[in-house]
Amino acid sequence: MATAVGLATDIARSAGVGGALSRAEGGEISSREVVSVSAWAQTKSTSRWCSFSRCVASPAAAAAAANGHLVKRSKPSSASLSSYRGLRRAGVTHSLSEPFSPHTLFRSHETAENRDGGNCPTGVQVRATLADVHVKSKVDATMPRGESWAVHKFGGTCVANAERIGNAAKIIVDDPSAQKAVVVSAMSKVTDTFYEILRLAESRDESYLRVMESLYQKHKETAFALLGPSDALEKFMKKLDGDISNLQAMMRAIFIAGHATDTFSDIVVGHGELWAAQLLAASICKEGVSAVWMDAREVLVVSPTSTQQVDPDYELSGERLDEWYQQQQAIPDILVITGFIASTPEGVPTTLKRDGSDFSAAIMGALLLAKSITIWTDVDGVYSADPRKVSEAVVLSTLSYQEAWEMSYFGANVLHPRTTLPAMKYNIPIIIKNVFRPSFPGTWIGPSTSSDQDPAISEESGSVKGFATIDHVAIINVEGTGMAGVPGTAGEIFMTVKEVGANVIMISQASSEHSICFAVPETEAKMVAKALEIKFKKALGAGRISKVEVLRNCSILAAVGQKMASTPGVSATFFTALAKANINIRGIAQGCSEYNITVVVDQEERIRALKAVHARFYLSKTPVSVGVVGPGLIGGTLLEHGIDLTRWKEILQEKGEPADMAKFTEHLRAGYLSPNRVMVDCTASAFVAEHYDDWLQKGIHIVTPNKKANSGPLQQYLKLRNLQRKSYTHYFYEATVGAGLPIISTLRGLLETGDKILKIEGIFSGTLSYIFNNFNREKTFSGIVAEAKASGFTEPDPRDDLSGMDVGRKVVILARESGLQLELEDIPVQSLVPEPLQSVETADEFMQGLPAYDLQIGEQLEEAEARGEVLRYIGVVDCVKNEGSVELKSYPKSHAFAQLSGSDNIIAFTTTRYRDQPLIVRGPGAGKEVTAGGVFCDVLRLAAYLGAPS
């Protein structure tokens, strides 16, 4: 180790001068002391400083003293600059723009009597000042790196107040890792508040002072609550007071100028992280563990590439990290680092832009070669979709780096889009955890393996990990036949977009090159369109480009999954789910890597679209919004048994509104309910059936036992069925014919398998089945009707059943399903209502007059019994004769129709396959329970068609 005198002499000689040396105190300077030598030139009347420093223990401290003289006292000679640059290379980082007096740090002995300016001396004498300061031994030359380090990052909500800062400190202390680096954001809303202060100051609005005062009080109150009366509190408050004073001066300058540069703004907004880091470090120390805080601007070096992007300089940042480490007096247990802020290679303060603290943590993890990076937030992890939009979204236990990057790019708010990149460089896993539920495992993000399978989702859908949306985008469509085969058109388009500073989110181009469309934020659409119109003014005038079109109010929906590339059918499933939800797609993009499939949909459809694809890939149950029209016997039973609505009657009574079909329809269409909508019409109303066209056009599926639509005018029926096929909607009406019996589905099954229908005949009315199953010589016809009415087997007015029109409508429905184009008027219907009673006003009058006609129908019963037969009221569809009928007929007691009991229905299908022995379907065909069951079965069948697992 050189002696103090020898060291001073070396420095003096490096300036090319010689002279005497003096010393503040006698004796040798030990290796644990700082040596600072200032050489100065003197004439008889004037003196001028040329200062140099060389360090034994603390280069920065010595440089601070020397730099003060360099700036304030003289223009240094080339020799002095050479010495200074040597110090900079040796690790001295004190800025020349920050003059610092040695008097505050060193005991100095001055030998100059006059330091006033003057001409350069011709005779030079050199004297030196030696300052003795005892310091601790310096730490090792380089920062320890490796898997002993665990990096943690706490977002603004995690340190929003004193309680949460204390909670974060406890989490850090409880981590058993050997070394811990903690990156911290500003307290919640503080960065936003700083930007608001800047805006107010630039606007010359003096209310910025009030906002700044509230910011000061927030941190003061937090510090008092967190640290209590202590040296740590006093130290923090001294720093806070000084910073606020400086900020007020800066804001006043901005207020006067009416403008703040980007650098000035970055300096201001970075204070939130500085204060949060100091508070968290002090809180950790309060737990009995040593911790120091680091201003990341001293270490982290980034190069801005645009207004919203920066690139880290890992090599220079690593060197700065080692330099910072060399200045420390001891190795800390925990290192608390400011997030969000950094410096340029020139030392100018900057930021990592909005939400950059995650990026800071990943960069520090890469610099330290850490074993893990844990991002603490206020959610349980990365969800399969935004849980605010899809309540069934699940927490994904694993993601690959690529999947996490894609999901964050497309709007998943858990990670900054570039966070994964530094971690990927060294295969450092990132763990997303909930600060309020630290025991929850969260989401692990790391290198992918072929065996990865997330238990949160099914094996069938494992190829797709999640879905995300970007809202408020616009599509720019540049189209024209003159674009095809012309090199450079796409380049000119996107160069123009770049020149106006717009962000292109998605690009799609047809292989014909006839059009190029791309998505930009909606706020930038007008600017981009205008720039393109100017750029292609000649091409537009000549017709080579036909239009520059802007499609507003769009959203981007992306499906993300690394295994999509090796799984056939993912795209088909994705687009089928959107089609079944009646979602129109405005644009499509997919890279060859197949990490994502991206589509553009209307903004108002984005939530339904997200729910539809999420449900289709088995990440959640298939949601269906159900609207029930007519909560009477059948509808009420459906609500009580098919769907769990415990208090629907009370709610309807308390909050029910007058029926308004248009308003009800729009309520059901609301995207927040479900991607799939079904209207269940439980009425017998022709008025309600008239709305079917409108519902289908709006993508609403229909389930109904109402026969009016399918048995109404033939042209209206054909139009309805055609619209249903074109609109990708479903129309189920099994209960229109056999209540809960599978009549329609059986008929369709026969036709779809190639069978030919010859005849369909049966007892289609449960009411009339009950009447004739119990009609005998011991009971009169009117007595049986009264008994059926009392038992609830008939409509309130039994004439609706006895007229036979209900059976006639069922015959028309079956005839049309079989391919016959029959109108209801084409079906001869034998009415059981005596003609004189058809016009009476009330059901009671009808029931009072019915006994007078018992003899007439009693005679038909006697004739049938004389032949050993029974009476049955049947409907017939004769496909050979192209006709249908409804009538009262007699059948031998051995016939299947004679074997019925109660209110059972029976239908016989005679086909080419079942010619000798008809196919029989038999069972209960009336009653609210079985009909509601049939309706609910159709609802479940619809859910299966929409993607629910079978």
Side-chain angles (χ1 to χ4, degrees), residues 181 183 234 273 314-315 385 387 471 478 484 623 632 652 740 788 812 864 901 906 919 922 929 933:
V183 177
E234 185 178 343
E273 278 70 21
Y314 290 99
E315 182 177 356
D471 298 335
V478 183
L652 181 63
V812 171
S901 61
I906 187 169
L919 176 62
R922 172 182 171 175
E929 296 286 347

Side-chain angles (χ1 to χ4, degrees), residues 572-573 575-583 616 675-677 695-702 721-731 942 945-946:
T573 303
F575 291 116
T576 298
L578 293 174
K580 287 187 175 182
N582 206 43
I583 304 293
R616 186 62 185 89
N676 308 301
R677 292 78 58 93
W695 293 342
L696 292 175
Q697 288 176 1
K698 292 178 177 177
I700 299 175
H701 309 285
I702 299 172
R721 294 309 306 271
N722 187 50
L723 177 62
Q724 177 257 320
R725 294 185 184 99
K726 287 183 177 180
S727 63
Y728 222 116
T729 51
H730 296 281
Y731 176 34
L942 171 65
Y945 275 96
L946 295 176

